[in-house]
């Protein structure tokens, strides 16, 4: 029983030591892969590639793996389902388990009418056709939200999805009365859009605002307002013609709540300190900003690790690694000391068993008096062989002196017993 207990203690110590060593090796030498769900669009691929390059340069053991999904809604679903620890999401379709690490950009929601004399306000869209840029399924839901606020039934506004290169033809044929575009204010998309409108003969496209944007944002906090100054949209003619205020949505790098605070804080730090590099790799990331941890009214939560980093309460990764190494060293030292103490205690309390050779010689000595005469030679030969083995082991220092004396004594007793059995007329 004692031997089993000692073996169990030893096994536990070995397992604990191995686990600690494996954890230490993982922390110091391991490769951490972070999967990020991104829309399978050119914008999504560029953003993911830029993030991967920055992390590869600064953290060689942190790998960003891109998981393409059909659209932004699917990215939020992948995050909610636990398929990926990170995702690029849009604020108006962020999902239930999306916690913000950084804001990647803000997009302005803008209506553009092809020319003068057409639609000038959101209310004027009733019974009209609105063009939506192809490949942006969330824009239609945002359009519906705006129409509902202005008491325009969404079903009374027709929709037509267009690729950007199809805009001139659609405008010439009067297939659309206005365009609804959601894009960063500094995006080159606006230059292409206004160029397409002028190509279609719309010399002075009219840009009109969502003038009740603040009220909509109060009703739906995942939306925000944004001011677009006159002439923000680059081109030969200033657009918009006046300062406008409209709705905006934000693109965010989000993580699941289960992500450790130290990891969320480190990802946040890496992105915020490399904004210029990321913008150079992907102009769509020129608007990276930190979320406001003091804004208690925001609808999208900030990850606790990000909040701790932004408030200066999160230790750096190097500090945490040093702490981990320190504590692992203490655990390993304690385990080694405990193992040594346990081994010493076991050696002290374990029962002392006679050596196997001594026990066998004792059995031979006791067996000689009753053995058949034909077996005496075999018993004596076995005793001699055991004596020879013991002497060879003793010559190499592998036999204690006590065992050597017992073997010598028992071999002499065996020989004496065999001699007496061979005396004529002696029966044992």
């Amino acid at each position: 029983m004692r031997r089993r207990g000692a073996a169990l203690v030893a096994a536990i110590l070995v397992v604990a030591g191995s686990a600690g060593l494996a954890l230490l090796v993982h922390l110091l030498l391991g490769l951490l892969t972070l999967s990020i769900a991104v829309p399978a669009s050119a914008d999504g691929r560029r953003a993911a590639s830029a993030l991967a390059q920055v992390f590869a340069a600064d953290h060689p053991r942190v790998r960003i793996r891109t998981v393409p999904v059909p659209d932004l809604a699917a990215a939020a679903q992948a995050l909610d389902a636990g398929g990926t620890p990170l995702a690029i999401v849009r604020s108006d379709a962020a999902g239930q388990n999306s916690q913000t690490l950084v804001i990647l950009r803000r997009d302005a929601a803008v209506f553009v009418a092809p020319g003068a004399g057409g639609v000038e306000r959101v209310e004027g869209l009733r019974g009209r056709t609105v063009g939506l840029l192809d490949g942006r399924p969330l824009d239609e839901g945002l359009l519906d939200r705006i129409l509902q606020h202005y008491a325009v039934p969404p079903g009374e506004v027709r929709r037509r999805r267009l690729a950007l290169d199809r805009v001139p033809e659609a405008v010439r044929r009067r297939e659309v009365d206005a365009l609804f575009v959601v894009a960063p204010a500094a995006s080159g998309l606006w230059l292409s859009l206004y160029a397409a409108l002028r190509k279609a003969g719309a010399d002075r496209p009219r840009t009109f605002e969502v003038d009740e944007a603040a009220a909509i944002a109060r009703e739906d906090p995942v939306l925000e307002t944004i001011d677009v100054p006159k002439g923000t949209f680059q081109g030969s003619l200033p657009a918009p013609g006046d300062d406008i205020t409209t709705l905006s949505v934000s693109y965010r790098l989000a993580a699941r709540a289960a992500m450790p605070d130290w990891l969320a804080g480190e990802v946040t730090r890496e992105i915020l300190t490399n904004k210029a590099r990321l913008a150079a790799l992907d102009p769509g990331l020129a608007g990276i900003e930190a979320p406001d941890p003091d804004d208690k009214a925001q609808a999208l939560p900030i990850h606790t690790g990000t909040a701790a980093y932004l408030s200066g309460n999160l230790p750096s990764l190097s500090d945490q690694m040093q702490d981990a190494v320190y504590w692992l060293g203490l655990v390993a030292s304690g385990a080694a000391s405990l193992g040594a103490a346990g081994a010493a205690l076991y050696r002290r309390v374990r029962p002392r068993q006679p050596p196997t050779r001594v026990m066998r010689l004792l059995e031979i000595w006791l067996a000689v008096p009753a053995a058949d005469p034909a077996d005496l030679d075999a018993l004596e030969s076995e005793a001699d062989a055991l004596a020879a083995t013991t002497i060879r082991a003793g010559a190499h220092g592998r036999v204690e002196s006590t065992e050597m004396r017992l073997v010598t004594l028992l071999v002499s007793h065996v020989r004496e017993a065999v001699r007496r059995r061979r005396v004529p007329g002696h029966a044992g």
Side-chain angles (χ1 to χ4, degrees):
M1 183 62 71
R2 289 182 179 177
R3 181 174 296 178
R4 288 183 180 178
L8 179 60
V9 170
I12 292 174
L13 291 175
V14 169
V15 170
S18 300
L21 180 60
L23 179 58
L24 180 60
V25 171
H26 174 72
L27 288 173
L28 297 178
L29 303 175
L31 180 65
L32 176 63
T33 299
L34 293 176
S35 300
I36 176 171
V38 298
S41 62
D43 288 347
R45 290 194 299 270
R46 279 197 303 269
S49 175
L51 291 171
Q53 289 183 57
V54 167
F55 272 87
D58 289 1
H59 290 289
R61 297 191 183 97
V62 179
R63 177 182 299 165
I64 300 294
R65 184 175 69 90
T66 302
V67 179
V69 294
D71 50 39
L72 287 161
Q77 292 170 2
L79 192 64
D80 280 350
T84 61
L86 295 171
I88 294 178
V89 301
R90 204 170 94 170
S91 58
D92 54 342
Q96 300 298 315
N97 196 28
S98 299
Q99 300 206 343
T100 301
L101 300 184
V102 292
I103 297 172
L104 299 176
R105 76 178 199 226
R106 297 183 187 273
D107 284 9
V110 177
F111 289 94
V112 183
V119 180
E120 297 184 356
R121 296 176 58 84
V122 175
E123 297 94 320
L125 293 173
R126 188 191 301 264
R128 303 295 189 97
T129 300
V130 174
L132 297 161
L133 294 183
D134 200 17
R136 300 164 179 250
L138 292 182
D139 291 357
E140 188 167 358
L142 181 57
L143 173 62
D144 290 344
R145 179 69 189 84
I146 295 171
L147 294 173
Q148 289 167 353
H149 178 81
Y150 285 91
V152 177
E156 295 185 9
V157 177
R158 296 181 294 275
R159 325 292 167 90
R160 187 174 182 83
R161 293 205 165 272
L162 300 167
L164 187 60
D165 59 1
R166 286 273 298 117
V167 169
E169 182 181 357
V171 171
R172 277 197 303 269
R173 293 184 176 184
R174 298 184 181 276
E175 295 175 355
V176 295
D177 299 291
L179 297 168
F180 180 64
V181 181
V182 183
S187 171
L189 170 67
W190 300 106
L191 178 60
S192 301
L193 177 66
Y194 282 97
L197 290 171
R198 287 193 292 273
K199 182 179 179 181
D203 292 333
R204 292 192 175 275
R206 178 178 178 80
T207 304
F208 59 94
E209 64 183 351
V210 182
D211 54 0
E212 297 184 19
I216 298 174
R218 282 195 298 271
E219 295 170 2
D220 196 349
V222 298
L223 305 175
E224 298 175 277
T225 61
I226 188 171
D227 296 323
V228 181
K230 176 182 177 179
T232 296
F233 305 147
Q234 300 174 0
S236 58
L237 295 175
D242 294 300
D243 296 349
I244 64 172
T245 298
T246 188
L247 281 172
S248 74
V249 291
S250 56
Y251 284 71
R252 300 170 178 237
L253 179 64
R256 305 185 73 234
M259 176 175 283
D261 284 357
W262 68 266
L263 181 55
E266 181 63 15
V267 172
T268 302
R269 185 201 66 78
E270 185 67 22
I271 294 175
L272 292 180
T273 55
N274 285 284
K275 290 193 292 185
R277 290 169 60 190
L278 287 167
L281 292 168
D282 176 14
L285 297 177
I288 290 176
E289 61 182 275
D292 184 1
D294 297 324
D295 184 2
K296 306 301 181 185
Q298 60 186 339
L300 300 177
I302 299 175
H303 195 285
T304 52
T306 294
Y309 165 74
L310 295 174
S311 61
N313 296 323
L314 186 71
S316 68
L317 181 59
S318 60
D319 291 340
Q320 296 184 65
M321 289 288 289
Q322 291 176 7
D323 289 344
V325 171
Y326 171 75
W327 285 109
L328 283 173
L330 286 182
V331 171
S333 176
S337 299
L338 184 60
L345 178 62
Y346 174 69
R347 285 194 298 268
R348 290 180 57 186
V349 301
R350 67 178 179 179
R352 304 288 266 176
Q353 297 291 337
T356 304
R357 287 185 288 261
V358 173
M359 292 300 295
R360 180 55 187 157
L361 285 170
L362 182 60
E363 292 173 355
I364 293 172
W365 180 40
L366 296 176
V368 168
D372 292 336
D375 296 332
L376 293 177
D377 288 343
L379 291 173
E380 187 174 21
S381 296
E382 185 179 354
D384 290 340
L386 289 170
T389 301
T390 305
I391 292 170
R392 281 194 296 270
H396 292 86
R398 295 196 297 266
V399 176
E400 296 180 1
S401 59
T402 302
E403 181 182 356
M404 183 67 76
R405 288 196 300 270
L406 288 173
V407 167
T408 303
L409 178 62
L410 285 170
V411 168
S412 65
H413 283 315
V414 169
R415 289 173 176 166
E416 178 61 24
V418 171
R419 186 190 63 77
R420 287 200 302 267
R421 283 293 312 275
R422 287 173 175 163
V423 174
H426 182 65

